[in-house]
Amino acid sequence: MYRQGDVLIVPVAEEAVPPGTDRLPHQPRDARGRLVLALGEVTGHAHAVVGPGTLVREAGPFGASYLRLPDGGRVVHEEHAAISLPKGWYRVVRQREYAPGAVRVVAD
Amino acid sequence: MTTQVETAHMETGQTDRTALWREVASATGPADRAAAEEGVCLAYRLAGLPEPEHIVWAGSPHEGVALAARLTAEGTAGRSVRDAVRTRPWAAARERVLERLGPSGWAAHWALTGAQLWDVTVALTERIRTGVVEASTGVAADDEQAVRLVLLDAVLGQHDAAWLAAFDGQDGAEALEGISAVARAAGWWWPYEKTAVVSERPVELHRDEAGRLDRADGPALAFPDGFALHAWRGMPVPAAFLDELAALTPRRIREEENAELRRVMLEHYGYERYLEESGAQPVQRDKAGVLWRIELEGDEPLVMVEVVNSTPEPDGTHRTYWLRVPPRTRTAREGVAWTFGLDEADYTPEKET
């Protein structure tokens, strides 16, 4: 598994990807043609994949994201070093923080 | 039949359009009054109604509610025409897109457009509604009910961006051109038979990276008439509380009885500084970071992992940040694993940047 800032990218065996995941709507690429795993609302800084692949998000606020990279790819971010990913399926997890009575996402 | 290239083209177009609507949703500064008023008149005409006789401007949704309530009570505004102006063309546009794309196609289209803006704008509009109710209501219990009813008559202008992004460029979107034009130019508005009340946009909007209202040294959201909301990382706080943040001491923090406010004070003061000045000792350390624990009177203990950023700053130093984790956490690694929803044994990053 790979961590870039507040995003964890966990390899998943193809058999372990929930059935139907590939039929969920593919997330659009941004204006620079990248797949955005997580976007900072203010700076616009993004954890993003360059190169071929697809990203889907399960419905709901706690739905998981799945990334499929047929040829591998690179995850980039304005403030973190890039990470190369081998080809395959990944689960993308956004970091959360504990708050008594609630859980909230981390925004770095 | 649509080729893959065409689909990719359409998706890019939608992405660009959604990006524009994202800007509309967070736009600040004076409304473009001429464009907004043209949009209002167009919306009435598209609904088959005569244009309003008067368009009245308000400095904020708060003043908008007050004006709308007064003008309808005086009988000069007429009845609300929100259904004809907004709800019906909306439903018709949605019906047409749904008919063309089918239920799963609509879900896919929504995921690429409106869903991208939905959570952040819904949270913001809810917060504004609550703020308007709090600022408008006096002692009488039926005040609140009256304000809530007027809020139901509002068209959300720029904060309708999520829906408008979904319809933009689609068949049937012509019927929404009026309300789209108002959304691009102004804030919330109230369409009545004879009068439309239109609100200015905020002059200040400060949010954190997660899109939550967030500002330590002033209102996180403020309108030109002075209506304002104060918040720290999404949590509403009293305005006077923020003034106090500049002069905090560990003792003042310990003495704060409201656990939520104490948490804000701690975040603002800085965990590192608080720990140092309270003489706290680390509980444990491992490769993932350092685990700290502070006992708090009348509250669960504050347990934090101190983590060092793997990527160095431009000056070669490494930034430290703090993550609050559940009180039962025993090791730094267990804490970091928890922040990603994993057990300690399953958290094995081979590369971190």
Side-chain angles (χ1 to χ4, degrees):
Chain A
M1 64 181 67
Y2 308 85
R3 185 177 67 82
Q4 187 180 58
D6 56 357
V7 167
L8 189 71
I9 301 161
V10 186
V12 181
E14 191 158 357
E15 316 79 78
V17 175
T21 297
D22 216 11
R23 290 195 301 277
L24 290 171
H26 293 174
Q27 291 293 311
R29 286 171 182 272
D30 70 0
R32 290 147 75 182
R34 312 176 306 173
L35 286 172
V36 176
L37 306 181
L39 177 69
E41 197 68 43
V42 174
T43 57
H45 290 178
H47 299 275
V49 170
V50 187
T54 51
L55 177 70
V56 300
R57 282 207 175 107
E58 289 178 344
F62 297 104
S65 291
Y66 287 93
L67 172 68
R68 181 168 165 262
L69 296 177
D71 311 317
R74 266 161 72 78
V75 196
V76 297
H77 188 274
E78 287 78 355
E79 294 164 11
H80 299 276
I83 294 179
S84 291
L85 298 174
K87 73 171 182 179
W89 278 90
Y90 297 88
R91 195 161 59 85
V92 180
V93 187
R94 191 86 189 259
Q95 192 162 39
R96 59 182 177 166
E97 198 171 359
Y98 177 79
V103 167
R104 51 185 187 173
V105 295
V106 172
D108 71 358
Chain B
M1 203 188 117
T2 334
T3 68
Q4 247 185 344
V5 174
E6 276 166 346
T7 308
H9 226 80
M10 278 156 45
E11 280 187 11
T12 310
Q14 269 162 7
T15 309
D16 293 346
R17 275 196 282 267
T18 303
L20 288 175
W21 283 106
R22 184 187 289 279
E23 284 171 25
V24 167
S26 58
T28 54
D32 180 342
R33 292 194 173 193
E37 292 183 6
E38 263 177 47
V40 167
C41 293
L42 177 59
Y44 276 63
R45 291 199 302 274
L46 287 169
L49 299 170
E51 292 177 6
E53 293 161 22
H54 306 284
I55 297 179
V56 185
W57 282 87
S60 71
H62 176 226
E63 197 193 344
V65 164
L67 274 174
R70 184 162 61 79
L71 296 173
T72 49
E74 288 171 3
T76 51
R79 61 183 175 82
S80 170
V81 290
R82 183 180 185 274
D83 262 6
V85 168
R86 189 230 193 228
T87 313
R88 262 181 261 147
W90 211 266
R94 185 174 181 281
E95 202 57 38
R96 277 179 75 168
V97 180
L98 190 60
E99 205 172 285
R100 196 167 56 77
L101 301 176
S104 65
W106 163 255
H109 177 71
W110 174 253
L112 299 183
T113 54
Q116 314 272 337
L117 313 179
W118 182 250
D119 292 342
V120 170
T121 44
V122 166
L124 186 59
T125 54
E126 272 310 306
R127 188 66 195 90
I128 293 174
R129 276 199 196 98
T130 309
V132 167
V133 169
E134 282 170 3
S136 310
T137 52
V139 270
D142 52 352
D143 276 8
E144 183 176 333
Q145 183 69 6
V147 170
R148 286 189 188 281
L149 285 174
V150 177
L151 283 169
L152 285 180
D153 288 338
V155 181
L156 299 187
Q158 66 177 148
H159 295 145
D160 268 332
W163 282 106
L164 293 170
F167 295 129
D168 194 358
Q170 299 295 309
D171 252 5
E174 312 79 56
L176 299 173
E177 269 172 22
I179 52 178
S180 297
V182 185
R184 282 192 292 265
W188 295 16
W189 59 291
W190 285 261
Y192 297 99
E193 271 174 306
K194 288 179 262 175
T195 304
V197 177
V198 190
S199 164
E200 283 286 343
R201 293 185 289 213
V203 286
E204 303 264 9
L205 173 65
H206 302 265
R207 294 177 301 168
D208 65 6
E209 285 287 68
R212 302 168 298 194
L213 288 179
D214 178 40
R215 189 176 173 198
D217 57 355
L221 180 74
F223 286 87
D225 67 342
F227 174 67
L229 299 172
H230 296 78
W232 172 265
R233 299 199 185 164
M235 199 184 97
V237 294
F241 172 81
L242 292 179
D243 298 337
E244 218 194 322
L245 287 180
L248 280 177
T249 61
R251 181 169 168 192
R252 170 71 188 89
I253 297 170
R254 270 194 301 275
E255 284 171 355
E256 172 58 48
E257 285 172 9
N258 180 318
E260 283 198 315
L261 293 183
R262 184 163 54 198
R263 198 180 314 143
V264 174
M265 288 175 163
L266 271 169
E267 282 184 356
H268 188 265
Y269 191 72
Y271 294 113
E272 190 175 9
R273 197 171 148 208
Y274 183 84
L275 288 165
E276 201 175 296
E277 290 177 17
S278 336
Q281 295 295 316
V283 176
Q284 184 268 349
R285 67 175 76 220
D286 56 36
K287 274 170 74 181
V290 183
L291 190 74
W292 296 84
R293 183 184 176 95
I294 309 173
E295 299 298 333
L296 296 172
E297 185 102 3
D299 196 6
E300 58 183 85
L302 177 75
V303 178
M304 314 277 311
V305 186
E306 179 188 355
V307 190
V308 177
N309 214 343
S310 307
T311 300
E313 300 296 302
D315 65 3
T317 59
H318 286 259
R319 194 159 68 97
T320 300
Y321 61 103
W322 297 80
L323 296 165
R324 187 164 183 183
V325 294
R328 61 172 186 278
T329 307
R330 289 160 300 111
T331 68
R333 173 174 293 276
E334 182 192 356
V336 175
W338 179 89
T339 65
F340 289 114
L342 295 177
D343 288 335
E344 185 174 0
D346 297 332
Y347 182 66
T348 52
E350 60 189 83
K351 180 151 193 204
E352 299 181 84
T353 68

